[in-house]
Amino acid sequence: LDELERRGLTFDREDIKDYQDIVSRFRPSTLKLLMPNNFYYFSLWLDPIVTAVIEAYMGFKPMLREAYIRRNFPCSYRVMNHNWHRDTNHKHHLLKAFIFFNDCKIDTGAHRYIAGTTETIEFRDKIYYTDDEVEASYPLASEDHIVSEVPAGTVILEDTRGLHKAGIPQRHYRDLGFAVFLPKVLFTDNKGDFAISRDVHGRLSESQKAYISQSNIFE
């Protein structure tokens, strides 16, 4: 962060006037917010159909550890998740839910995933890989190379220990929410990157409440 600040590549809240000012002057690749403290958002993130699939895949009830809303813009340079990578939150158990809030096409940043790569030994010597490197083994025509062109409202559950990347929008932007589900860690507070009020938490079902650490609840 210090190096980014020295190069003039960061901005603070007092540096901007409004949303449009951010977009026009700083041309961000991504804007990300913690999930709003809203009953309907939490109900969507912890929808019973979604959590039933999560528990069947993982074999237990995990914890909600991250919950965000993210907007991806057209940008000139690849950053972080625009490159092929694997998530390393947990060696054995990890699921992410992606909730698309607008139609996602190739030119608005379709998500990509290589099926069957959660346990493979290839592509583990670096953090990020180029399209050329990955497509040499998994060309676009391969049935394992999944391109998620999906309509608004689609929910994708993905074991992101496998190779994946976010597409870069060429026009407009891509809006999605995402959640990270990980095993409950014994003897810790399991606090995640989100906050929920006691009022909103109280309106959730008992099954949904079990996904949320007490450390994330505020008055």
Side-chain angles (χ1 to χ4, degrees), residues 29 71-75 82 100 102-112 140 147-151 165-175:
S29 65
R71 173 168 285 182
N72 292 105
F73 297 88
C75 60
H82 293 151
F100 290 83
N102 57 356
D103 294 342
C104 191
K105 306 290 185 181
I106 292 294
D107 61 355
T108 53
H111 182 80
R112 300 191 183 209
L140 273 171
V147 181
S148 297
E149 293 188 79
V150 297
K165 73 165 191 168
I168 301 176
Q170 303 303 308
R171 63 173 182 85
H172 198 48
Y173 48 75
R174 184 185 71 172
D175 281 348

Side-chain angles (χ1 to χ4, degrees), residues 13-109:
R13 187 177 294 270
E14 59 268 21
D15 297 326
I16 59 175
K17 294 183 294 185
D18 51 34
Y19 166 78
Q20 194 55 52
D21 185 39
I22 294 176
V23 174
S24 61
R25 284 204 295 137
F26 294 99
R27 300 189 65 228
S29 65
T30 303
L31 290 178
K32 185 171 73 173
L33 297 173
L34 290 179
M35 185 165 67
N37 176 46
N38 179 287
F39 171 73
Y40 298 102
Y41 274 103
F42 277 96
S43 294
L44 176 61
W45 261 242
L46 298 173
D47 180 273
I49 295 175
V50 173
T51 56
V53 176
I54 290 171
E55 290 171 28
Y57 180 80
M58 300 185 84
F60 52 85
K61 186 187 291 288
M63 301 294 291
L64 176 62
R65 298 296 291 274
E66 297 179 38
Y68 295 98
I69 296 171
R70 185 166 65 197
R71 173 168 285 182
N72 292 105
F73 297 88
C75 60
S76 303
Y77 304 99
R78 292 175 182 263
V79 294
M80 296 174 64
N81 66 334
H82 293 151
N83 299 287
W84 289 99
H85 65 284
R86 300 173 182 271
D87 290 345
T88 57
N89 308 60
H90 195 279
K91 186 175 181 179
H92 302 293
H93 304 288
L94 170 62
L95 269 183
K96 275 190 179 179
F98 299 96
I99 304 170
F100 290 83
F101 293 134
N102 57 356
D103 294 342
C104 191
K105 306 290 185 181
I106 292 294
D107 61 355
T108 53

Side-chain angles (χ1 to χ4, degrees), residues 96-212:
K96 275 190 179 179
F98 299 96
I99 304 170
F100 290 83
F101 293 134
N102 57 356
D103 294 342
C104 191
K105 306 290 185 181
I106 292 294
D107 61 355
T108 53
H111 182 80
R112 300 191 183 209
Y113 187 83
I114 304 298
T117 56
T118 57
E119 304 295 341
T120 56
I121 61 173
E122 58 189 341
F123 300 110
R124 291 187 181 274
D125 58 323
K126 297 189 298 184
I127 297 175
Y128 297 115
Y129 296 89
T130 66
D131 287 348
D132 288 343
E133 288 173 314
V134 172
E135 290 177 16
S137 298
Y138 300 98
L140 273 171
S142 166
E143 63 180 18
D144 292 326
H145 192 137
I146 300 169
V147 181
S148 297
E149 293 188 79
V150 297
T154 299
V155 176
I156 293 177
L157 294 175
E158 185 173 297
D159 187 335
T160 54
R161 295 176 303 145
L163 278 170
H164 64 286
K165 73 165 191 168
I168 301 176
Q170 303 303 308
R171 63 173 182 85
H172 198 48
Y173 48 75
R174 184 185 71 172
D175 281 348
L176 79 161
F178 69 99
V180 178
F181 296 92
L182 290 167
K184 182 175 183 178
V185 180
L186 297 177
F187 313 118
T188 71
D189 62 12
N190 289 282
K191 186 174 183 179
D193 290 334
F194 64 90
I196 182 171
S197 67
R198 194 164 300 280
D199 175 64
V200 171
H201 182 264
R203 297 172 63 189
L204 298 176
S205 70
E206 292 304 312
S207 178
Q208 290 171 322
K209 291 176 182 176
Y211 279 83
I212 296 174

